[in-house]
């Protein structure tokens, strides 16, 4: 799932194997302050570089590592 997918379809909420609904979300590649919550989804091999880029970020961050 890439940024283009998120921009087009939003976040997909699912229960077990069935899609419940899609929720549109703003996608920002380089967030600035002003957001209540920033969700960060990364693949396993991206964790180190993403954590470094978040080091000076102010605000609440929901961090989720996805396997791949």
């Amino acid at each position: 799932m890439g940024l283009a997918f998120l921009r087009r379809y939003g976040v997909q909420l699912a229960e077990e194997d069935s899609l419940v609904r899609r929720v549109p979300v703003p996608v920002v590649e380089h967030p600035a302050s002003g957001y209540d919550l920033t969700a960060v989804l990364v693949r396993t091999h991206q964790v180190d570089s993403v954590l470094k880029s978040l080091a000076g970020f102010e605000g609440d961050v929901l961090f989720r590592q996805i396997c791949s």
Side-chain angles (χ1 to χ4, degrees), residues 14-52:
E15 247 182 61
E16 295 185 20
D17 291 335
S18 62
L19 181 66
V20 175
R21 68 181 201 169
R22 291 186 175 143
V23 178
V25 294
V27 176
V28 180
E29 292 184 49
H30 303 284
S33 60
Y35 291 95
D36 293 328
L37 176 66
T38 301
V40 178
L41 299 121
V42 296
R43 296 186 185 278
T44 302
H45 70 279
Q46 298 170 316
V47 171
D48 289 339
S49 62
V50 171
L51 283 176
K52 288 175 187 173

Side-chain angles (χ1 to χ4, degrees), residues 31-33 35 38 53-61:
S33 60
Y35 291 95
T38 301
S53 70
L54 291 172
F57 186 76
E58 292 183 23
D60 295 328
V61 176

